[in-house]
Amino acid sequence: MFGIVRPCRHRLGEGLAAQWTAHLCGLCLALRKDHGQFARIATNYDGLLVSVLTEAQTGNTAAGRRKAGPCPLRGMRTASVADGEGARLAAAVSLVLASAKVRDHVADGDGLLARRPLAAAARKVAAGWGRAGQRGGGAVGFDTAVLVDAVDRQTGLEALAGPGTPILAVTEPTETATAAAFAHTAILAGRPGNAAPLAEAGRLFGRLAHLLDAVEDQAADAATGAWNPLTATGTSRAEARRLADDAVHGVRLALKDAEFADDGLVHRLLVHELRRSVDRAFGTVPVCAAHQPGPHGTPQQYPHGPGGHPQQPVPGGGNPYAAGGHGGGFSGSSGGFGGGGGEGGPGGGQPKPPEPRGFWAGCGMFWVQFCTCRMCCAKEYEGPWSRKKREGCCRDRDCCDVCDCCDCCDC
């Protein structure tokens, strides 16, 4: 699952979290319905924004939702999911994005794709996804040629870029592609007047996605010798941060010029969460004072933070929950599946390492941990097969259900 807008359910609240899940599941099921089971792995967080924007303009109507059957990723529960042209457009865009991402990894020779047989298979999959995305886009009146052209131009621009090349010259193809996708949601929703402001929001969102991807990958790219736009053009992180902040502000202003039937989720994702995405990428995640470690390494117990609920930056991307998890109602306390400490030996000796699980037992535990959000929300959990301690993938994020300080807008 990839994407820069990765909201935490604790911050969304019950209502918006249900809407967000409806669009995520709707995108996944649209991929399965139109392009087969394997295409579902192209589901991504940024692609579902297209579905969110479409529904925000038309309103949440019964015609735009359908009941989906039980799914292991929802704990075998049914759900109301997004359905219709917005979800289908999101699926087409996601396939083209995934195709481009796979081709990029093949070109860079990342990991196992450095081996010729696997690289050839990956190229075949990417080509199939590109054709499927073109068919899906055509079904809703969207010409994916603009996306394909952007991907093709990207390769040429990267080959020509060097020290002194403006970084915005490298991000332009991504900006053009996302602008087209965002603008088409206005056509699907029957609000052509929204096309211009949404195109501007999409253009800036594409710039931001490209910049944050470059920032997050810069150290790894330097270690492996892979091409990175910031390194290649000599763009400093300070300049990248300035451009990212400007893009976030521009997205907010562009959304104000568009008309929505219900912009609650759009505002949360493209104003609040986009700002948090920038902070996360640059290692300045805002956290509530209530979660800051106390004098003895334990979290301070302030219902709203000492003296209110101020936020402070965490330089270097440090873990704001080093002394305590944030499982909440999704992953439970530090006990439960894979929680707590090791088992002490007789007389309180050294903990005895747990025995690894077998293949089938590990598969069962994997689904238990995945469906209970343990792998994402827990501070620490037990590896399903190895039983070694692992960190939840969003333990370093600014998940907080105590307060939601907001100083980025007038909402």
Side-chain angles (χ1 to χ4, degrees):
M1 196 81 71
F2 58 94
I4 65 170
V5 181
R6 304 191 292 269
C8 175
R9 294 172 182 268
H10 298 80
R11 285 195 308 271
L12 287 179
E14 184 177 352
L16 293 182
Q19 290 184 41
W20 186 81
T21 302
H23 288 285
L24 183 63
C25 293
L27 169 57
C28 179
L29 294 175
L31 284 165
R32 184 192 69 177
K33 179 181 178 181
D34 294 342
H35 311 291
Q37 285 280 5
F38 187 64
R40 298 173 79 175
I41 67 174
T43 304
N44 69 93
Y45 295 133
D46 291 349
L48 71 85
L49 290 174
V50 173
S51 178
V52 171
L53 281 169
T54 304
E55 184 176 90
Q57 295 172 84
T58 60
N60 185 354
T61 62
R65 294 294 178 90
R66 72 177 181 87
K67 185 176 181 180
C71 175
L73 302 185
R74 291 194 299 267
M76 298 308 294
R77 295 187 297 270
T78 60
S80 173
V81 303
D83 188 31
E85 293 186 330
R88 297 180 69 186
L89 175 61
V93 171
S94 295
L95 279 176
V96 176
L97 289 176
S99 173
K101 201 171 187 70
V102 170
R103 283 194 286 173
D104 185 55
H105 286 308
V106 170
D108 292 341
D110 293 338
L112 294 176
L113 295 181
R115 301 180 181 181
R116 288 186 178 180
L118 292 177
R123 278 193 292 267
K124 185 175 181 181
V125 170
W129 280 352
R131 291 190 296 270
Q134 183 177 13
R135 293 193 302 270
V140 293
F142 180 64
D143 186 2
T144 58
V146 65
L147 305 185
V148 176
D149 176 68
V151 172
D152 293 339
R153 286 191 296 109
Q154 188 72 55
T155 304
L157 286 173
E158 290 179 357
L160 296 174
T165 301
I167 186 65
L168 297 187
V170 181
T171 64
E172 181 274 324
T174 308
E175 296 178 21
T176 301
T178 51
F182 275 37
H184 195 70
T185 64
I187 307 303
L188 294 181
R191 291 180 181 264
N194 283 348
L198 290 184
E200 177 66 6
R203 183 180 68 82
L204 294 172
F205 179 84
R207 175 184 300 180
L208 194 58
H210 203 130
L211 286 172
L212 297 191
D213 185 62
V215 169
E216 292 178 339
D217 293 347
Q218 190 172 26
D221 289 343
T224 60
W227 193 90
N228 184 280
L230 298 181
T231 304
T233 60
T235 303
S236 67
R237 289 177 72 91
E239 175 64 8
R241 179 62 191 254
R242 184 188 69 80
L243 292 171
D245 289 339
D246 286 348
V248 171
H249 184 64
V251 169
R252 174 191 163 199
L253 295 179
L255 291 177
K256 282 189 173 183
D257 292 335
E259 296 181 0
F260 296 100
D262 179 4
D263 67 344
L265 185 57
V266 166
H267 184 84
R268 171 62 68 175
L269 297 180
L270 290 179
V271 176
H272 297 267
E273 295 300 332
L274 210 53
R275 165 61 59 191
R276 292 176 185 271
S277 297
V278 173
D279 289 333
R280 182 171 60 244
F282 285 92
T284 55
V285 179
V287 296
C288 296
H291 285 73
Q292 304 241 348
H296 302 293
T298 57
Q300 301 183 54
Q301 302 300 318
Y302 300 113
H304 301 288
H309 47 266
Q311 293 178 314
Q312 301 177 9
V314 182
N319 176 19
Y321 304 103
H326 59 281
F330 294 91
S331 60
S333 61
S334 59
F337 297 110
E343 298 175 1
Q350 293 295 325
K352 180 180 178 180
E355 292 291 331
R357 293 188 181 91
F359 175 76
W360 293 112
C363 287
M365 182 54 66
F366 171 85
W367 285 111
V368 168
Q369 293 176 340
F370 191 89
C371 295
T372 57
C373 296
R374 187 99 193 139
M375 289 184 173
C376 107
C377 291
K379 172 180 177 288
E380 193 177 72
Y381 69 94
E382 196 176 70
W385 287 277
S386 68
R387 304 192 74 173
K388 294 180 180 178
K389 297 300 180 183
R390 307 291 187 196
E391 297 178 354
C393 63
C394 74
R395 63 167 294 193
D396 290 332
R397 289 165 56 185
D398 49 328
C399 303
C400 173
D401 55 359
V402 176
C403 65
D404 186 18
C405 313
C406 173
D407 58 359
C408 65
C409 65
D410 54 3
C411 61

